[in-house]
Amino acid sequence: MPDNPERTLEEWKDSMQDEHAAAIANPDPDATHQIEGITQVSYRYSFEYDADDDSLRRIDRTQVDEPHEPELFSCTCGVRGMTRAEAREHLAALAD
């Protein structure tokens, strides 16, 4: 009887989640740990056309939104995709 691909995928997801949880709860004490997050800010650029050399030249840049707190965090030790609570748990585990 062939394997059920959906069951195999679910088992893989479960094992990845288990590995992720273990990496959060058991940080390597010899690694460097610093939590990082990435956020994007949008800008509107204005250009003018230069007919002499058929090019666009940027003349203005306006920020159109403010940076927001990131939703996902990573650690310089290599653990990625943590929520804020998981990032705190990861660093708190170092203190234990």
Side-chain angles (χ1 to χ4, degrees):
M1 181 162 133
D3 277 342
N4 177 340
E6 289 181 18
R7 189 181 83 218
T8 303
L9 177 60
E10 289 305 314
E11 289 170 355
W12 176 80
K13 285 180 184 179
D14 290 344
S15 73
M16 293 301 292
Q17 289 173 342
D18 292 344
E19 287 178 30
H20 184 69
I24 291 169
N26 302 302
D28 179 353
D30 298 325
T32 301
H33 297 273
Q34 182 176 347
I35 299 299
E36 302 172 326
I38 296 175
T39 186
Q40 293 182 342
V41 178
S42 297
Y43 292 90
R44 178 178 294 114
Y45 290 87
S46 299
F47 297 84
E48 75 180 13
Y49 176 68
D50 185 338
D52 292 336
D53 65 1
D54 190 32
S55 66
L56 293 174
R57 185 171 57 88
R58 187 175 81 194
I59 58 173
D60 187 44
R61 180 181 83 167
T62 305
Q63 185 174 327
V64 295
D65 61 4
E66 294 297 319
H68 299 284
E69 284 293 316
E71 294 181 24
L72 291 176
F73 297 86
S74 62
C75 183
T76 54
C77 74
V79 179
R80 306 273 183 256
M82 293 183 283
T83 64
R84 182 177 292 274
E86 289 170 333
R88 285 193 314 263
E89 175 188 343
H90 183 66
L91 293 180
L94 288 168
D96 291 345

